[in-house]
Amino acid sequence: MGWLRGLSLHARLILIAGITGLAALLFAGWAIGDVLEGVVRRNLGEKLDAQVMMLARAAEPDGRVNPQKIVALPGFDRPGSPWGWRVQTAAGAWTGGSPIIGQELRPARHRHGGARRFGRARTPEGVRLHLVERRLDTPGGEARIMAAGPRFI
């Protein structure tokens, strides 16, 4: 730090102000990025949860899914997109959009409409997905309803 003594007071103050400003910008960028990532994840979770609830309405009491009642939100109905859904009951399995493989689910959070679980999955092409699953009790047995979308939009 001997080189610092050779600088004038004015130059040292400018140097310290520049370093402090750079540190503040880096911290602010990190903090803003973290907040924005949380907002994007929350919005993605809400969209996936909305798709799950739309699919739950298509489940019949006997455990079958009525294809006439299936409503796919934008993205879920586009061929080749990473968005996908699956309904699995004792009566069979129904899927739409991209196949969902390699699920890793966290413990359930109970809310109205059944236990909700979040997790990760991927497509056969290796695209990483954010996953929402609800398990609903129907007279025909338990229904597992999943929706997944790309983790990075």
Side-chain angles (χ1 to χ4, degrees), residues 41 44-53 84-86 100 105 115-121 129-135 144-149:
R41 275 196 187 165
L44 177 60
E46 288 173 4
K47 181 175 181 174
L48 295 174
D49 205 34
Q51 180 63 44
V52 166
M53 295 311 290
W85 57 267
R86 178 168 61 216
I100 303 168
L105 293 164
R116 182 170 67 163
R117 297 172 70 184
F118 296 95
R120 297 177 182 163
L129 303 173
H130 183 70
L131 177 72
V132 173
E133 177 196 68
R134 279 193 189 260
R135 291 177 183 233
R144 289 180 62 203
I145 304 170
M146 294 181 233

Side-chain angles (χ1 to χ4, degrees), residues 94-113:
W94 294 263
T95 61
S98 183
I100 303 168
I101 61 174
Q103 298 98 340
E104 298 173 19
L105 293 164
R106 292 190 292 273
R109 293 183 190 172
H110 292 278
R111 282 191 153 181
H112 55 83

Side-chain angles (χ1 to χ4, degrees), residues 41-71:
R41 275 196 187 165
R42 194 168 26 259
N43 287 342
L44 177 60
E46 288 173 4
K47 181 175 181 174
L48 295 174
D49 205 34
Q51 180 63 44
V52 166
M53 295 311 290
M54 295 293 250
L55 293 167
R57 294 177 49 190
E60 299 289 341
D62 64 357
R64 297 183 214 273
V65 173
N66 183 344
Q68 303 299 324
K69 291 183 179 179
I70 293 175
V71 176

